[in-house]
Amino acid sequence: MTKRFAVVKSGTVENVILWDGETPWTLPEGAELVELNDSAAVSPGFLYQTGAFVDPRPQNTLSAQTISALEQKANETAQRLGFNGDPGQTVTI
């Protein structure tokens, strides 16, 4: 049965592979093979720290205050342009 594995070297995922565990294949020197479960969302570049995979990309999260300010600005702009909330309405800018 084919399984998914992360090829990890120096704490970083270098590749994600499918391997049946029997077909001859050589692990790159200095790397380790970590079996992944079906739901693991792991890709090259992820970090492998203390037995867990970590996405190193910054998470784009907005505070509730920022979201509220953006919604208010969008509503003000829509009112200024004459939008009344009718889904079929078009507004010329």
Side-chain angles (χ1 to χ4, degrees):
M1 178 165 101
T2 302
K3 296 180 181 180
R4 284 189 330 136
F5 296 89
V7 178
V8 179
K9 188 171 183 178
S10 300
T12 302
V13 176
E14 288 195 338
N15 201 358
V16 176
I17 65 167
L18 296 174
W19 185 44
D20 62 11
E22 295 177 14
T23 303
W25 176 77
T26 302
L27 183 65
E29 188 175 328
E32 66 177 302
L33 201 58
V34 180
E35 186 175 343
L36 301 172
N37 63 38
D38 292 337
S39 64
V42 175
S43 60
F46 273 52
L47 304 177
Y48 186 63
Q49 302 171 336
T50 60
F53 292 98
V54 178
D55 186 347
R57 297 173 296 186
Q59 302 302 313
N60 295 324
T61 56
L62 300 175
S63 69
Q65 182 179 6
T66 301
I67 291 171
S68 178
L70 289 169
E71 287 174 341
Q72 181 178 350
K73 184 66 174 175
N75 289 334
E76 289 170 358
T77 302
Q79 287 176 353
R80 182 174 48 81
L81 294 173
F83 183 69
N84 65 12
D86 178 4
Q89 180 185 7
T90 59
V91 176
T92 304
I93 300 176

